[in-house]
Amino acid sequence: MVRLPLTPEEVERGQRLGALLRRARGERSMLLTALDAGVSPETLRKIESGRVATPAFPTIAAIADVLGLSLDAVWSEINRSAGGVELGRSDSAAAQRLAS
């Protein structure tokens, strides 16, 4: 399967996701958080650093659960622009990549 290059908006959304997860994790160990969520510490590190801009939904759901975040809160946070305006779905391809 060939993945399309990420748009700048998708990259920015991935960075917002990573920042949200880092803030929610706080002083908690990355290793313990990852193990509790059933993901590798390397996966969590890549998501938090923004290197994986479109992680799989079950991965984010597991991490959010461990951190006590609702998926609604995660969705709302990552779909805001730098100015605080909520972004709409620009196209079905972008929505599909987010879901992958």
Side-chain angles (χ1 to χ4, degrees), residues 60-71:
I60 294 307
I63 296 168
D65 183 51
V66 166
L67 296 176
L69 296 171
S70 77
L71 292 176

Side-chain angles (χ1 to χ4, degrees), residues 5-100:
L6 298 175
T7 66
E9 292 81 16
E10 290 168 324
V11 171
E12 186 179 322
R13 188 172 47 225
Q15 291 168 344
R16 285 192 302 272
L17 173 63
L20 170 65
L21 296 179
R22 279 192 310 277
R23 283 192 314 271
R25 186 168 56 82
E27 296 296 317
R28 185 176 179 164
S29 155
M30 183 181 288
L31 175 63
L32 291 178
T33 303
L35 293 176
D36 288 347
V39 300
S40 74
E42 181 66 11
T43 296
L44 180 56
R45 187 182 68 75
K46 286 179 180 178
I47 294 169
E48 284 189 359
S49 68
R51 288 183 51 212
V52 176
T54 58
F57 177 79
T59 301
I60 294 307
I63 296 168
D65 183 51
V66 166
L67 296 176
L69 296 171
S70 77
L71 292 176
D72 287 336
V74 172
W75 181 254
S76 177
E77 176 75 19
I78 67 171
N79 282 299
R80 294 194 182 279
S81 68
V85 176
E86 189 162 336
L87 302 174
R89 292 182 187 164
S90 59
D91 64 275
S92 61
Q96 179 62 31
R97 283 195 297 270
L98 180 63
S100 64

